[in-house]
Amino acid sequence: MRIRATVAAVSGAVALSAFAIPAAHADEAHGDTKISNVVVNGGKSVVVGATGSKTFSVSFTVTDNSGVKWGQAVLFHGRDLDHADSGAVANTSDHRSKCTKVSATKSTCTATYTLKAGSNLVNKVAGTWKVWAIAQANDNNYVQKDAVKTFRAQRLSKLTVNAAPEPVKKGRTLTVTGALTRANWDAATYSGYGSQSVKLQFRKKDSSSYTTLKTVKADSRGNLRTTTTATADGYYRFSFVGDAGTPAVSAAGDFVDVQ
């Protein structure tokens, strides 16, 4: 079993010097210890604004026929933990996960973590992150998994819409404008998300669902502009499906009175 005392931490990540952990080059195992059922942030993406942070839980199940001694997880972005490109993120207490006994052979280990814009979150690491995890049993069997789970850390997105003129006569042309922006973690502001495909959608006044009218391409600064024909009273909005580093977002509907 290869042991090292510290995982190097950069870009504001926490140094894991409070306990010894195996080198993170590859999966390792000795005996029957197993890690399963890893859940990050309740199964949802971790979405952070331009200057904000997000604290969330990571839990996993550990089993071994002798019972569980301890477990720990580290979050990172990159090829592997040794090459994390914005640091390895330890839990908020800088200690091992809290492992709660479920049965003589099973425990659930849980800890909280914080990802912060401008610290361990920079623009280049938006997208897929990984969970490195290790657990040791009472008989000293152990398991280490280099990427036991993946999750997404995303830049909060915003979308606006305005349909004009209001009111408008039936059959006349409406001009619909808006803008798609997302958190710029490097600059601590929101920047236009350019050249993205966004749907223009319409919901009749008495309806509960939107219908897509067309797909519009944002310009290089994220600005949106298109036209459509006014047919009935209702709400117009833009809707973006999202991508690995950016969550889906829909603008609040803009009501147009058609006369």
Side-chain angles (χ1 to χ4, degrees):
M1 182 177 181
R2 298 170 293 173
I3 297 291
R4 68 179 179 184
T6 304
V7 174
V10 295
S11 301
V14 181
L16 306 181
S17 56
F19 45 86
I21 59 177
H25 301 296
D27 293 353
E28 292 186 22
H30 176 75
D32 64 336
T33 312
K34 291 181 174 59
I35 292 173
S36 62
N37 193 33
V38 182
V39 179
V40 179
N41 192 35
K44 299 177 292 184
S45 297
V46 177
V47 181
V48 179
T51 59
S53 64
K54 174 71 174 180
T55 298
F56 55 95
S57 67
V58 177
S59 65
F60 56 95
T61 299
V62 183
T63 56
D64 187 276
N65 63 3
S66 69
V68 178
K69 184 181 291 185
W70 61 270
Q72 173 65 337
V74 179
L75 314 181
F76 70 97
H77 180 278
R79 188 179 73 199
D80 54 45
L81 187 57
D82 285 333
H83 298 89
D85 50 16
S86 71
V89 181
N91 63 57
T92 54
S93 65
D94 197 23
H95 294 293
R96 293 169 179 165
S97 302
K98 180 181 179 181
C99 293
T100 302
K101 186 175 180 180
V102 177
S103 68
T105 61
K106 179 190 294 186
S107 291
T108 299
C109 300
T110 306
T112 58
Y113 299 76
T114 297
L115 293 183
K116 184 177 181 180
S119 179
N120 41 43
L121 289 182
V122 292
N123 290 344
K124 71 176 183 179
V125 302
T128 301
W129 279 55
K130 300 173 184 177
V131 180
W132 179 95
I134 185 173
Q136 188 174 23
N138 290 326
D139 59 5
N140 291 326
N141 287 343
Y142 70 91
V143 61
Q144 172 193 301
K145 304 291 286 185
D146 187 57
V148 70
K149 184 74 173 181
T150 62
F151 68 98
R152 286 180 171 179
Q154 297 181 313
R155 300 159 62 177
L156 179 64
S157 53
K158 297 182 179 182
L159 192 53
T160 61
V161 67
N162 181 63
E166 303 175 57
V168 65
K169 290 185 178 181
K170 185 175 181 179
R172 292 291 180 89
T173 297
L174 275 171
T175 300
V176 188
T177 58
L180 174 64
T181 59
R182 62 174 177 169
N184 184 333
W185 293 332
D186 297 346
T189 188
Y190 285 86
S191 300
Y193 193 17
S195 304
Q196 302 302 306
S197 294
V198 176
K199 295 177 181 179
L200 174 65
Q201 299 181 325
F202 175 71
R203 174 171 68 86
K204 288 185 178 181
K205 181 179 179 179
D206 298 324
S207 174
S208 60
S209 60
Y210 279 89
T211 299
T212 297
L213 301 179
K214 63 171 70 174
T215 297
V216 182
K217 196 85 159 184
D219 69 14
S220 60
R221 296 183 178 182
N223 296 313
L224 297 156
R225 185 181 182 89
T226 190
T227 59
T228 189
T229 301
T231 57
D233 291 353
Y235 299 83
Y236 292 86
R237 74 176 186 183
F238 287 118
S239 184
F240 175 59
V241 297
D243 54 36
T246 313
V249 62
S250 294
D254 184 24
F255 181 76
V256 175
D257 177 19
V258 177
Q259 298 179 344

